Amino acid sequence: PRSAGIQGVVESYQSCLPKIQLYGPTNVAPIISKVARRVPHAALLPPQQYFILLILTDGVVTDMADTREAIVRASYLPMSIIIVGVGNADF
């Protein structure tokens, strides 16, 4: 979900966690590409608007080459992409 501010991120996380089931493979590139398509170019946004995509994963990213390409394609947008590994996988 789209959230405003850190409190919004925490609330979204708490709301989503009971509703999801983690499983593999862990393909991250499609979600990065989908979100990037929804982020307007910086010239179209007010200066104070910025986006952060936080991806929490319990598995090693299985599409690393595609993920790198998706990050590079999104690098001109006013957004940061943070990928956090949780659990015992070898991140």
Side-chain angles (χ1 to χ4, degrees):
R2 191 170 176 176
S3 306
I6 297 299
Q7 186 59 38
V9 172
V10 171
E11 289 170 4
S12 292
Y13 175 77
Q14 291 172 335
S15 170
C16 290
L17 195 57
K19 302 173 190 172
I20 62 170
Q21 180 178 0
L22 303 174
Y23 61 94
T26 305
N27 294 321
V28 176
I31 190 66
I32 293 172
S33 297
K34 182 175 183 173
V35 170
R37 285 191 299 270
R38 298 186 65 178
V39 173
H41 191 278
L44 303 174
L45 290 174
Q48 70 274 14
Q49 196 163 21
Y50 188 79
F51 296 82
I52 299 172
L53 172 59
L54 174 61
I55 299 172
L56 303 175
T57 177
D58 70 336
V60 176
V61 174
T62 53
D63 64 341
M64 189 57 77
D66 291 338
T67 297
R68 278 192 212 105
E69 288 179 33
I71 291 169
V72 169
R73 284 192 307 270
S75 65
Y76 70 94
L77 295 169
M79 71 181 282
S80 292
I81 301 166
I82 303 168
I83 303 172
V84 178
V86 295
N88 297 324
D90 184 14
F91 299 106

